[in-house]
């Protein structure tokens, strides 16, 4: 059978994203043979030329010629025989063809099976080239970002630290904050790690000479005061609950400040005197009275001060919350205060929830220090105790060797230990054994071996590929699946040199996926891939959406993470991200969705009463983060679908194009729905080329308002979600959009795998990685595209297990600072 006939058969019969059987298995490129080319029937009668050459010549050069260069792509003179020299271009062609985006709707285009055959032909050639010249890619180093640094400290010392107080925001690239080549260590970053090392070493060991200090914890204005905060004692509402590290045994004072109303009294409706409970590890230590004008409880102001309370050193859960006085239905709307009528607008900058509201808690102390009690962190550090001066140095060596081995994620060398002992001796000379250990611990936390994940190539590997050392592979695997350093079991396998064996690597990966720590795949990978961090930027208008508060936003975020974690834990098919008829909600979110029978703050699995919310397209987190505070945004929603699900981001808007916000919101006194305003905006030809692809995807979700609640009217106008997708598919709502995406589920699988691999590798996926991406999705078909198939596919892939060493010239080039990607 000819190469063309095979390509056509693979595309049409096996269905690579165009036919209805888009999820069927696809053979590996090596199973294709090459022979004479047979002309297909109908539109594809191209003679003896490869189908790609003929399609490009007949259908693509109108836009992608040397003269027009639409999208910056030139295909004039394209020949698949020269594909190796144009691999980035060919991979772009494959991506557009598989997503059904090229040729665009409205221009002459060949039959679907011909386009599918062309895509398959290009893929076969790209995969053949990759098999002949494998390139696993490389990265220079990887620095622990904020989340990884906090996890590493927790794993080493058992304490939680607020790394935001020390380290600047992490730069993101390719959706993720762990991409190595944008993690260049600036002076600010290095200074942050040094300050963090000093503070964390004192927190871990405690400080009997601690000076009086203060730590402030704030409560957002829009956090509900109706619900019990996670971690707070039963019978309370609102307030906050945090883990606070007390530096020493001594007395501490808690300053509690509620929000004030405009007139100066305590904000919120009161029924007599309210009470606030201060508890430590669930035990009440203070009960504070709060009356409306503070005339009885604190006549000097709103800053309520507790008595001195004795607390031992170490991390403790501190909760400050209102005592619940009654049960029943209570509205907790967002109330705009500090009203102004400037320009006809009501100011809502100080909007808070209507019940009495905690603003901040300050922990002040320690006073009258009595020492430092034994804490979990001290027990993890001091595994031996010298009883005589001559025992101090050997004990310190044992402690530092063990800490360094765990912190550096590899066996500590003699040189490592000797260097740390020098710091110990310097500290011990000033303050004795414990001060010496603390000084050496500070050196451990500031060491490049702790802060950076260095992967050293073997001798003589310059310019070639090499297998990553087992201890480095253990770190790759652990930070991928757990977002944290490897545990003892994984480290021991790596020390024995067994981790690089494929069977053992898979066994360890499966063990780690079954561990609760694998929730990091949802809180780290999925949260960033799905852009959940953008939810924090959206504050829906309080006048239009008075029931939206911080508690609801947190529940939205938690729903999506819990849902993804369930897919990993139960090894569900990845298509559940599009089709699942269930989700996880607590009472607050269930009420928002109109789901009955759910009570309490805990999340539980529920089935949707209708099909509208199936999959991620119905998650309020996604719908809110792709909206503006005062209106929905079909552009943001359509763009999100293109980028996150189809891996086909639209180009940036051309310069000098008026923004959508400049389109009038009303006309002759009549409110214009978002759809009408978009049609006016799209009338500009410069806007229409991109918006014709973006807008129908977003408009299909127009029945969901800014907060993700279902609606049938938009400002008095009926919602009109009807549109035509870029490939001609009619869309009339979220159900149609979901079905349309399922026609391109092979594209969805590849996009998911690309993001998973970028996160796992800590580098951007390049054109030479695409054959591996395709192979992982093909292999996943045999296991019904279950989550483990993709995770294990990435773990077992050459880019994960191997790397390309830099040539000498490349190393010299990398010594020059490079521009950072955003």
């Amino acid at each position: 059978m000819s190469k063309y006939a095979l390509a056509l058969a693979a595309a049409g019969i096996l269905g690579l994203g165009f036919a209805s059987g888009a999820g069927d298995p696809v053979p590996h490129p090596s199973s294709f043979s090459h022979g004479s080319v047979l002309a297909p029937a109908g539109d594809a009668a191209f003679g003896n030329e490869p189908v790609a050459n003929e399609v490009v010549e007949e259908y693509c050069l109108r836009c992608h010629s040397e003269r027009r260069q639409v999208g910056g792509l030139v295909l004039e003179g394209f020949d698949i025989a020269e594909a190796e020299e144009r691999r980035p271009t060919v991979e772009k062609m494959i991506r557009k063809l598989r997503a059904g985006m090229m040729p665009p709707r409205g221009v002459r285009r060949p039959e679907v099976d011909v386009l599918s055959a062309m895509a398959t032909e290009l893929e076969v050639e790209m995969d053949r080239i990759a098999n002949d010249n494998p390139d696993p890619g490389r990265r220079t180093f990887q620095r622990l970002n904020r989340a990884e640094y906090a996890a590493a400290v927790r794993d080493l010392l058992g304490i939680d630290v607020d790394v935001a107080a020390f380290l600047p925001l992490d730069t993101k690239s390719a959706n993720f904050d762990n991409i190595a080549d944008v993690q260049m260590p600036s002076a600010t970053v290095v200074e942050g790690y040094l300050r963090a090392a000093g503070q964390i070493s004192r927190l871990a060991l405690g400080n009997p000479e601690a000076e009086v200090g203060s730590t402030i914890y704030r409560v957002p204005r829009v956090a509900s005061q109706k619900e019990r905060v996670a971690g707070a004692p039963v019978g309370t509402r609102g307030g906050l609950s945090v883990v606070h590290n007390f530096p020493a045994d001594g007395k501490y004072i808690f300053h509690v400040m509620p929000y004030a109303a405009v007139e100066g009294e305590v904000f919120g409706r009161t029924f007599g005197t309210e009470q606030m409970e201060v508890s430590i590890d669930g035990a009440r230590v203070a009960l504070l009275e709060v009356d409306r004008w503070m005339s009885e409880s604190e006549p000097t102001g709103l800053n309520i001060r507790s008595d001195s309370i004795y607390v031992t050193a170490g991390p403790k859960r501190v909760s400050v919350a209102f005592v619940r006085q009654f049960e029943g239905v209570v509205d907790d709307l967002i109330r705009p205060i500090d009203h102004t009528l400037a320009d006809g607008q009501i100011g809502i900058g100080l909007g808070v929830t209507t019940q009495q509201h905690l603003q901040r808690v300050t922990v002040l102390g320690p006073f009258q220090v009595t020492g430092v009690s034994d804490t979990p962190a001290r027990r993890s550090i001091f595994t031996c105790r010298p009883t005589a001066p001559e025992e101090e140095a050997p004990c310190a060596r044992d402690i530092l060797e063990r800490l360094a081995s765990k912190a550096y994620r590899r066996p500590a060398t003699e040189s490592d230990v000797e260097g740390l002992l020098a710091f110990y001796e310097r500290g011990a000379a000033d303050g004795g054994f414990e001060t010496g250990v603390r000084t050496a611990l500070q050196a451990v936390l500031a060491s490049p071996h702790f802060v950076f994940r260095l992967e050293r190539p073997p001798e003589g590997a310059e310019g070639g590929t090499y297998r990553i050392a087992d201890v480095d592979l253990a770190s790759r695997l652990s930070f991928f699946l757990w977002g944290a350093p490897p545990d003892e079991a994984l480290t021991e396998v790596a020390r024995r040199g067994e981790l690089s064996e494929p069977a053992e690597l898979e066994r360890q990966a499966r063990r780690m996926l079954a561990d609760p720590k694998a929730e990091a795949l949802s809180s780290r990978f999925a949260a960033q891939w799905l852009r959940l961090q953008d939810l924090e930027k959206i504050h829906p208008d309080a006048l239009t959406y008075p029931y939206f508060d911080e508690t609801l936003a947190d529940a939205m975020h938690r729903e999506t993470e819990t849902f993804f974690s369930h897919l990993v834990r139960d090894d569900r098919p990845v298509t559940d991200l599009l089709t699942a008829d269930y989700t996880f909600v607590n009472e607050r979110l269930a009420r928002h969705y109109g789901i009955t029978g759910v009570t309490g703050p805990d999340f539980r699995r529920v089935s949707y009463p209708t099909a509208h919310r199936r999959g991620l397209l119905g998650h309020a987190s996604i719908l809110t983060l792709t909206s503006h505070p005062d209106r929905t945004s079909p552009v943001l929603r359509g763009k999100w679908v293109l980028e996150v699900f189809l891996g086909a981001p639209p180009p940036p808007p051309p310069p000098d194009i008026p923004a959508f916000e400049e389109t009038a919101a009303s006309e002759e006194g009549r409110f214009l729905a978002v759809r009408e305003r978009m049609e006016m905006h799209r009338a500009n030809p410069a806007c229409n080329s991109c918006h014709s692809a973006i807008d129908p995807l977003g408009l299909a979700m127009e029945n969901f308002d800014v907060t993700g609640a279902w609606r049938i009217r938009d400002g008095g106008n009926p919602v009109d979600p009807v549109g035509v997708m870029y490939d001609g598919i009619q869309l009339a709502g979220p159900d149609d959009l979901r079905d349309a995406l399922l026609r391109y589920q092979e594209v969805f699988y590849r996009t998911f795998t690309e993001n998973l691999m970028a996160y796992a590798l800590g580098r951007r996926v390049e054109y030479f990685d695409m054959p591996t991406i395709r192979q992982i999705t093909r292999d996943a078909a045999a296991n019904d595209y279950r989550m483990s198939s993709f995770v294990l596919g990435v773990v077992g892939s050459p880019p994960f297990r191997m790397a390309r060493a830099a040539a000498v010239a490349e190393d010299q080039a990398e010594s020059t600072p490079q521009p950072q990607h955003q």
Side-chain angles (χ1 to χ4, degrees), residues 259-283:
Y259 275 99
V262 178
E263 296 81 7
E265 77 274 29
V266 172
F267 180 86
R269 181 178 300 173
T270 59
F271 301 94
T273 299
E274 294 272 3
Q275 293 179 315
M276 297 200 73
E277 173 183 298
V278 180
S279 64
I280 297 179
D281 285 344

Side-chain angles (χ1 to χ4, degrees), residues 477-495:
L477 183 63
S478 186
F479 279 100
F480 171 33
L481 300 183
W482 288 350
D487 62 0
E488 184 57 36
L490 183 61
T491 302
E492 182 58 32
V493 171
R495 284 173 181 164

Side-chain angles (χ1 to χ4, degrees), residues 432-466:
F433 176 75
E434 285 206 8
T435 302
V437 171
R438 188 182 69 196
T439 304
L441 175 61
Q442 183 175 349
V444 168
L445 296 173
S447 170
H449 299 293
F450 176 71
V451 174
F452 295 93
R453 290 163 51 193
L454 305 171
E455 297 177 352
R456 301 185 185 279
E459 293 291 335
E462 290 80 2
T465 60
Y466 64 93

Side-chain angles (χ1 to χ4, degrees), residues 450-522:
F450 176 71
V451 174
F452 295 93
R453 290 163 51 193
L454 305 171
E455 297 177 352
R456 301 185 185 279
E459 293 291 335
E462 290 80 2
T465 60
Y466 64 93
R467 193 188 75 182
I468 294 171
D470 281 49
V471 291
D472 296 332
L473 187 60
S475 284
R476 275 202 179 197
L477 183 63
S478 186
F479 279 100
F480 171 33
L481 300 183
W482 288 350
D487 62 0
E488 184 57 36
L490 183 61
T491 302
E492 182 58 32
V493 171
R495 284 173 181 164
R496 296 199 302 263
E498 298 174 359
L499 186 60
S500 54
E501 298 174 6
E504 182 61 29
L505 182 61
E506 179 177 339
R507 191 181 76 81
Q508 290 296 325
R510 289 187 181 277
R511 175 184 70 84
M512 297 171 72
L513 280 174
D515 192 283
K517 292 181 184 178
E519 289 186 4
L521 281 174
S522 63

Side-chain angles (χ1 to χ4, degrees), residues 688-699:
N688 186 59
S689 59
C690 289
H691 280 278
S692 61
I694 301 171
D695 295 356
L697 304 178
L699 286 170

Side-chain angles (χ1 to χ4, degrees), residues 2 30 134 150 185 210 215 246-247 286 427 545 596-597 622 709 721 752 777:
S2 72
S30 61
T215 303
F246 293 89
Y545 307 99
T596 60
I622 305 302
F752 174 76
T777 59

Side-chain angles (χ1 to χ4, degrees), residues 55-381:
V55 171
V56 168
E57 182 69 27
E58 185 167 349
Y59 295 96
C60 303
L61 293 186
R62 177 177 177 272
C63 296
H64 300 295
S65 62
E66 288 281 359
R67 183 177 64 86
R68 298 197 63 189
Q69 300 189 22
V70 174
L73 179 63
V74 177
L75 295 179
E76 202 164 312
F78 177 83
D79 188 349
I80 194 173
E82 301 172 356
E84 186 165 4
E85 289 75 36
R86 304 189 66 176
R87 290 170 68 189
T89 296
V90 174
E91 291 295 350
K92 289 179 182 178
M93 294 168 65
I94 292 171
R95 186 181 297 272
K96 293 292 186 180
L97 288 167
R98 285 295 181 212
M101 292 181 168
M102 289 295 157
R105 184 165 60 92
V107 303
R108 194 170 67 92
R109 55 190 294 167
E111 296 294 330
V112 169
D113 59 352
V114 174
L115 292 175
S116 189
M118 174 182 175
T120 301
E121 184 179 66
L122 294 175
E123 288 171 357
V124 169
E125 186 63 17
M126 288 296 96
D127 295 350
R128 182 194 63 78
I129 293 170
N131 286 337
D132 293 342
N133 301 283
D135 185 353
R138 66 180 300 267
R139 67 172 191 231
T140 51
F141 59 84
Q142 193 159 15
R143 173 172 57 82
L144 297 185
N145 57 31
R146 278 182 168 188
E148 293 169 342
Y149 186 85
V153 170
R154 186 185 311 114
D155 181 75
L156 180 66
L157 302 172
I159 60 174
D160 290 297
V161 295
D162 179 17
V163 293
F166 309 107
L167 303 180
L169 284 171
D170 296 311
T171 302
K172 284 196 172 184
S173 178
N175 297 330
F176 302 108
D177 60 10
N178 66 341
I179 303 301
D181 64 0
V182 297
Q183 295 180 322
M184 301 304 290
S186 66
T188 302
V189 171
V190 172
E191 181 184 354
Y193 282 116
L194 293 175
R195 287 191 295 110
Q199 181 66 15
I200 292 169
S201 62
R202 285 189 290 272
L203 284 174
L205 271 69
N207 184 8
E209 299 178 356
E211 297 180 353
V212 175
S214 63
T215 303
I216 299 176
Y217 298 98
R218 301 182 187 276
V219 180
R221 293 191 303 267
V222 292
S224 172
Q225 298 299 289
K226 174 182 174 182
E227 316 287 345
R228 178 171 66 89
V229 176
V234 175
T236 62
R237 64 169 181 83
L240 61 78
S241 182
V242 297
V243 175
H244 178 77
N245 283 296
F246 293 89
D249 301 350
K251 292 186 176 181
Y252 295 83
I253 295 174
F254 298 87
H255 284 203
V256 179
M257 179 177 285
Y259 275 99
V262 178
E263 296 81 7
E265 77 274 29
V266 172
F267 180 86
R269 181 178 300 173
T270 59
F271 301 94
T273 299
E274 294 272 3
Q275 293 179 315
M276 297 200 73
E277 173 183 298
V278 180
S279 64
I280 297 179
D281 285 344
R284 179 185 291 179
V285 297
L287 188 63
L288 310 176
E289 300 288 335
V290 184
D291 62 286
R292 185 170 182 81
W293 290 97
M294 303 297 287
S295 56
E296 299 176 10
S297 52
E298 186 67 28
T300 60
L302 294 182
N303 196 349
I304 311 170
R305 175 185 172 122
S306 74
D307 295 330
S308 296
I309 299 169
Y310 184 81
V311 185
T312 57
K316 315 280 185 184
R317 177 163 289 280
V318 176
S319 300
V320 181
F322 292 95
V323 175
R324 185 181 293 277
Q325 295 181 329
F326 62 91
E327 298 292 339
V329 178
V330 178
D331 279 337
D332 195 20
L333 303 173
I334 304 294
R335 177 192 171 196
I337 63 175
D338 190 26
H339 288 194
T340 65
L341 294 177
D343 300 323
Q345 301 295 315
I346 298 178
I348 58 172
L350 297 178
V352 297
T353 54
T354 54
Q355 292 186 298
Q356 280 199 357
H357 197 308
L358 179 63
Q359 180 181 164
R360 72 186 186 199
V361 174
T362 303
V363 182
L364 185 65
F367 303 95
Q368 302 176 28
V369 175
T370 60
V372 176
S373 297
D374 195 21
T375 65
R378 288 175 62 85
R379 287 194 294 271
S380 70
I381 294 169

Side-chain angles (χ1 to χ4, degrees), residues 357-424:
H357 197 308
L358 179 63
Q359 180 181 164
R360 72 186 186 199
V361 174
T362 303
V363 182
L364 185 65
F367 303 95
Q368 302 176 28
V369 175
T370 60
V372 176
S373 297
D374 195 21
T375 65
R378 288 175 62 85
R379 287 194 294 271
S380 70
I381 294 169
F382 293 114
T383 52
C384 62
R385 284 287 187 178
T387 57
E390 61 271 14
E391 295 177 359
E392 291 184 355
C395 179
R397 173 180 285 274
D398 290 342
I399 290 173
L400 295 179
E401 183 176 6
R402 181 181 50 80
L403 285 176
S405 295
K406 191 169 184 179
Y408 299 167
R409 302 171 289 276
R410 58 167 175 76
T413 64
E414 184 65 23
S415 175
D416 293 330
V417 177
E418 290 297 329
L420 293 174
L421 282 172
F423 284 97
Y424 162 78

